Amino acid sequence: MNTHLGRAAVAVAASAITVSLAACGAEDADGRPGASEAIKVGLLLPENQTARYEKFDKPLIEKEVSRLTRGKGKVVYANAKQNAAAQNSQVDMMIANKVNVLIIDAVDAKAIAGSVKKAKDAGIPVVAYDRLAEGPIDAYTSFDNEDVGKVQGKALLEALGDKAKDGQIVMMNGSVTDPNAKGFKSGAHFVLDGKVNVGKEYDTVEWKPENANTNMTAALSALGKGKIIGVYSANDGMAGGIISALKAAGVSNLPPVTGQDAELAGVQRIVAGEQYMTVYKRYAPEAAAAAEMAVTLAQGEKIDGIINQIVDSPTTKGVRSVLVPGVPLTKANVKSTVVDDGVYTVAEICTDRLKSACEEIGLK
């Protein structure tokens, strides 16, 4: 992924992202809906194993589309449940349903390219969401993936301190079908290469925790449980599988394990001292940017004033984009991140078994 504009910070509240609809009348000359017309936004999300999509992304996008269209917009939703072929069929259904614009978080960035072209041929703009889909997309919003990997790598180095060269780490990267995984991996290597010894490295099929568990079990067998001083895990779901494998192998003094997505289970593991960190990604700015670009494109207007980056996909050069930075989350800032932002309540995090651990870090 190449970036050509400055890395502007995008830690902006969703409510700050606005689009002017006042100038739009009824249907435009090219057939696109104006402010007085109902806009249908097709939203295709990739899976429901990760909590974020159903709990955050979908309702945030729905809320923002409604706000931007003064209640006239409608989100038509489908979840592919990690099935690329199903997602392609869902695009066909969206085209038949005559949506005005598509927001697609691709299961497989390559496999979706043909469907993106079908949508474009039908006159439907496409916003790639969270993953840089291939094909003739019109816009893209996600987190700065290489920066996320760098944040994870720096946190792991900080946790290891002077012991960084004393043993070996395991790198548990994401799925090769997800272009984001490549960015996370690249960013992590940028920070870690030359500073740690990578004993084993895996690209984890479909990001599944059970696959990460299997990989970690193999790494423990190959390297020896006493030789592993840290684990780079690209997300929280895999971190859970990794930690389960470490415990099953009898590792009582767990090495630092990274993560991403600030899932509730991941935050709870951090509070408990089982997982070292996660990357908290504020979904509201990402969802708001996707909604704004989608509504603006549906009305045939330009999105140049919305973007903060230009990126290249393998098939499309100069994609207008909004990239949002991630925030490292450790025990030290659970309250000031996910609690203060209203993602989770203290009661949700601090179950009975975590009461004392929560009190130690000021979560009451």
Side-chain angles (χ1 to χ4, degrees):
M1 179 175 68
N2 298 319
T3 57
H4 307 294
L5 296 183
R7 292 180 175 273
V10 202
V12 57
S15 60
I17 300 181
T18 59
V19 60
S20 175
L21 301 177
C24 302
E27 190 173 274
D28 295 334
D30 62 358
R32 297 196 185 278
S36 62
E37 293 287 312
I39 290 174
K40 286 200 292 188
V41 178
L43 174 62
L44 299 179
L45 296 182
E47 47 101 346
N48 56 6
Q49 287 194 31
T50 305
R52 60 164 290 190
Y53 293 112
E54 300 289 335
K55 183 171 182 178
F56 300 114
D57 300 80
K58 177 179 177 285
L60 284 168
I61 289 171
E62 288 173 335
K63 181 178 179 180
E64 193 67 7
V65 167
S66 178
R67 186 186 72 81
L68 291 167
T69 60
R70 301 171 186 170
K72 296 183 175 67
K74 176 184 179 184
V75 173
V76 184
Y77 175 62
N79 191 302
K81 298 181 181 178
Q82 202 60 57
N83 186 318
Q87 191 167 61
N88 285 328
S89 296
Q90 288 167 353
V91 173
D92 291 339
M93 290 173 60
M94 294 288 180
I95 294 170
N97 200 12
K98 296 183 179 179
V99 298
N100 302 111
V101 62
L102 276 171
I103 299 173
I104 302 177
D105 189 343
V107 172
D108 185 321
K110 292 182 181 294
I112 200 69
S115 292
V116 171
K117 186 177 185 302
K118 282 185 186 178
K120 287 288 291 182
D121 290 345
I124 301 170
V126 177
V127 177
Y129 183 70
D130 209 52
R131 294 170 182 168
L132 188 54
E134 296 188 14
I137 60 173
D138 296 272
Y140 169 57
T141 182
S142 186
F143 295 89
D144 191 327
N145 299 320
E146 288 194 12
D147 186 63
V148 167
K150 289 177 182 177
V151 167
Q152 293 170 318
K154 288 175 184 175
L156 185 56
L157 285 181
E158 288 171 5
L160 295 174
D162 295 337
K163 298 179 180 179
K165 285 277 192 173
D166 291 348
Q168 300 180 87
I169 73 162
V170 174
M171 291 193 70
M172 202 72 65
N173 306 306
S175 173
V176 294
T177 62
D178 180 355
N180 287 2
K182 182 179 179 181
F184 305 144
K185 182 177 178 178
S186 175
H189 272 290
F190 180 86
V191 172
L192 295 172
D193 286 355
K195 298 183 177 66
V196 295
N197 300 310
V198 180
K200 286 290 182 179
E201 182 168 6
Y202 302 89
D203 295 320
T204 310
V205 176
E206 294 184 347
W207 290 93
K208 288 186 175 180
E210 56 266 36
N211 294 336
N213 182 283
T214 299
N215 292 340
M216 192 66 208
T217 300
L220 284 160
S221 177
L223 302 175
K225 64 183 182 181
K227 301 291 187 180
I228 298 171
I229 60 170
V231 184
Y232 167 81
S233 172
N235 80 351
D236 289 342
M238 295 196 305
I242 290 162
I243 290 166
S244 293
L246 289 165
K247 288 181 176 180
V251 179
S252 55
N253 187 16
L254 293 171
V257 179
T258 66
Q260 178 182 186
D261 292 327
E263 291 191 354
L264 179 58
V267 173
Q268 289 173 326
R269 287 192 296 268
I270 289 170
V271 171
E274 296 177 340
Q275 182 174 326
Y276 177 67
M277 65 83 69
T278 185
V279 178
Y280 170 44
K281 302 192 294 189
R282 289 186 161 96
Y283 301 124
E286 183 192 24
E292 183 179 11
M293 289 191 289
V295 170
T296 305
L297 288 167
Q299 294 172 333
E301 298 179 2
K302 295 182 178 180
I303 61 170
D304 296 348
I306 303 169
I307 67 170
N308 71 348
Q309 298 261 359
I310 299 291
V311 306
D312 295 338
S313 82
T315 58
T316 307
K317 301 295 184 184
V319 179
R320 295 163 295 176
S321 308
V322 174
L323 299 185
V324 182
V327 178
L329 185 156
T330 65
K331 278 186 178 183
N333 65 344
V334 172
K335 183 178 185 305
S336 64
T337 53
V338 291
V339 174
D340 285 353
D341 284 359
V343 178
Y344 307 120
T345 65
V346 171
E348 286 176 313
I349 297 169
C350 300
T351 57
D352 288 343
R353 73 178 184 88
L354 293 175
K355 289 291 185 185
S356 60
C358 283
E359 289 175 1
E360 286 178 13
I361 60 173
L363 284 181
K364 299 177 181 178

